[in-house]
Structure formats: structure tokens, C-alpha cells
Amino acid sequence: DARVTQTPRHKVTEMGQEVTMRCQPILGHNTVFWYRQTMMQGLELLAYFRNRAPLDDSGMPKDRFSAEMPDATLATLKIQPSEPRDSAVYFCASGNLPGGWEKLFFGSGTQLSVL
Amino acid sequence: GNSVTQMEGPVTLSEEAFLTINCTYTATGYPSLFWYVQYPGEGLQLLLKATKADDKGSNKGFEATYRKETTSFHLEKGSVQVSDSAVYFCASLPRMGGGNKLTFGTGTQLKVEL
């Protein structure tokens, strides 16, 4: 089965450290999303890419977060410096859009704890 | 703007009980509506969808009907099982404006006990 792969599954770090989360989208998918899940806010869209180009990153704190797609098989989300309020589960999702919303696939997430 | 409101959880039911998880939306025009399910330790999976008023989405015994008049898309199942324990998310995708952005509710945790 094709799946979206995220690494690491868990990350514990100290405040101020750099954190890099990686996502391997499903081969052939043209759109990649990054979401953040917290108890208080639920699922928030941070950024998304179409054909590797960033289309919208308005949900992302610009001063510390950055998202890139260096190639079609890798998307990265970086936090520098990290803060305790960044503790959350970060999900990557990929699909062929527009039109293929019923085939949007989510990875299992990276659970980030910033101490 | 676009938003989705779900009932708060957790919802705790006995096996074979009837399930309803309420979801209402606000949007410009008539969005497509979705229910996603998140099992422990996993990402979200699409459970069912409806793209226009009065459509009924169904899958794995779950159903939801797109009600334009009440702007609702409540999730129902006649007889839940322990394996249905998960977090359920309602989501909307606007047709006009908002780009290709799914707006999710905050999720409702369902716990089914024997």
C-alpha cells in the first residue's frame, strides 16, 4: 500500500534547539500539506505545496518556522528556535489536487515535545 | 469565514449503542463536507464525504447527510463496536474562495466499551 511516511515519529528536544521534520509524500502526488494538531486548536493548516512550489504558508509563524520541498520525494518542516508552545503532533498529507480530495493521505505524524 | 464546529468529547458508549456526533459548518456557498477518522497512533483517514445538499455519505456502517437548511453534517452509526474507538473529525472544503484548504473541526474522541 502506498503511504505517506513521516520521520521521526517522536522528538523530544529542549527549548532553543532546531527541529527538522521530514515527510515522504506518495509518489505521483502533486500537493503536500503540513498540519499541526493540538488539544486546544485541533488541526491547523501550516503550509502547502503544489508541484513543489509553496502556495500558502499563512498558517505558519514566519519567524521560526520554514517549510520546503527540496525534491518531489521530500518535504521538510523546520523550527528554529523551538519553543515549548510548539509541542504538538505535526502531520503531513499528500494528494493529487484539485479534485482528488477523497484520496488525500495523511502520515502518522511526528509528535514533538519541546521542554 | 469558513469554520466547522463539532460536539466536544469524549463520547463514551457501550458496544452496540447508537452513535451521533454533531457537526455544523459555516461557509460561503455550499462546501463539500467530510468525516475523517484518526485511530490511535495513526494519521487521519477519510471516512465518508458528501458534495451537495441532501447527499448521504456512508462507509463502514457510518452515515452522514448534508443538510443545507441546518448547515449540518452529523455522523451516525446504528451499532458501534470497540474497534470504532478513535477521534472523528468533521471538515469542509469551500467551493468559492478559501483555496484548496480543508477546514477541520477540533475532533471528537469516541470510546466504545464492552
Side-chain angles (χ1 to χ4, degrees):
Chain A
D1 282 346
R3 60 179 60 191
V4 176
T5 303
Q6 288 186 248
T7 56
R9 287 296 305 271
H10 303 276
K11 176 71 175 179
V12 180
T13 192
E14 293 186 347
M15 183 173 63
Q17 296 298 304
E18 179 179 296
V19 174
T20 299
M21 291 169 272
R22 293 177 174 81
C23 167
Q24 181 177 359
I26 291 174
L27 191 64
H29 281 183
N30 66 354
T31 306
V32 175
F33 298 85
W34 282 105
Y35 284 92
R36 176 171 61 185
Q37 183 181 33
T38 60
M39 290 291 290
M40 293 300 294
Q41 301 295 328
L43 271 167
E44 305 171 274
L45 177 65
L46 297 176
Y48 77 100
F49 295 78
R50 176 76 47 78
N51 296 321
R52 295 176 54 203
L55 284 194
D56 189 343
D57 61 1
S58 59
M60 212 163 59
K62 300 292 191 302
D63 56 339
R64 299 183 299 108
F65 284 60
S66 62
E68 296 179 345
M69 277 201 77
D71 61 60
T73 64
L74 177 65
T76 61
L77 180 66
K78 190 175 296 187
I79 309 174
Q80 169 62 26
S82 58
E83 297 180 2
R85 60 181 166 148
D86 301 329
S87 298
V89 182
Y90 291 81
F91 286 102
C92 174
S94 75
N96 268 327
L97 301 173
W101 285 99
E102 63 272 22
K103 293 195 184 301
L104 184 67
F105 289 86
F106 282 77
S108 299
T110 293
Q111 184 162 5
L112 174 64
S113 297
V114 183
L115 306 177
Chain B
N2 303 307
S3 67
V4 175
T5 303
Q6 287 181 238
M7 61 188 289
E8 288 197 19
V11 173
T12 303
L13 296 174
S14 298
E15 202 168 42
E16 299 184 2
F18 185 86
L19 168 72
T20 299
I21 300 178
N22 290 340
C23 170
T24 56
Y25 66 90
T26 59
T28 303
Y30 303 111
S32 294
L33 299 171
F34 303 82
W35 276 101
Y36 282 82
V37 58
Q38 182 183 28
Y39 297 105
E42 297 183 13
L44 280 70
Q45 305 173 28
L46 179 65
L47 181 60
L48 53 85
K49 68 178 177 70
T51 56
K52 61 183 187 296
D54 300 324
D55 265 2
K56 178 185 284 187
S58 61
N59 185 25
K60 298 181 181 179
F62 291 88
E63 293 183 341
T65 301
Y66 192 142
R67 301 286 187 201
K68 182 178 65 174
E69 61 277 9
T70 55
T71 62
S72 65
F73 193 54
H74 304 323
L75 182 68
E76 297 180 336
K77 186 174 185 181
S79 175
V80 294
Q81 306 299 312
V82 172
S83 57
D84 294 326
S85 298
V87 181
Y88 292 82
F89 291 87
C90 187
S92 73
L93 178 69
R95 293 188 195 284
M96 295 184 297
N100 278 310
K101 295 185 190 179
L102 272 177
T103 298
F104 287 92
T106 52
T108 302
Q109 183 175 13
L110 170 66
K111 299 179 181 178
V112 181
E113 301 172 336
L114 290 171

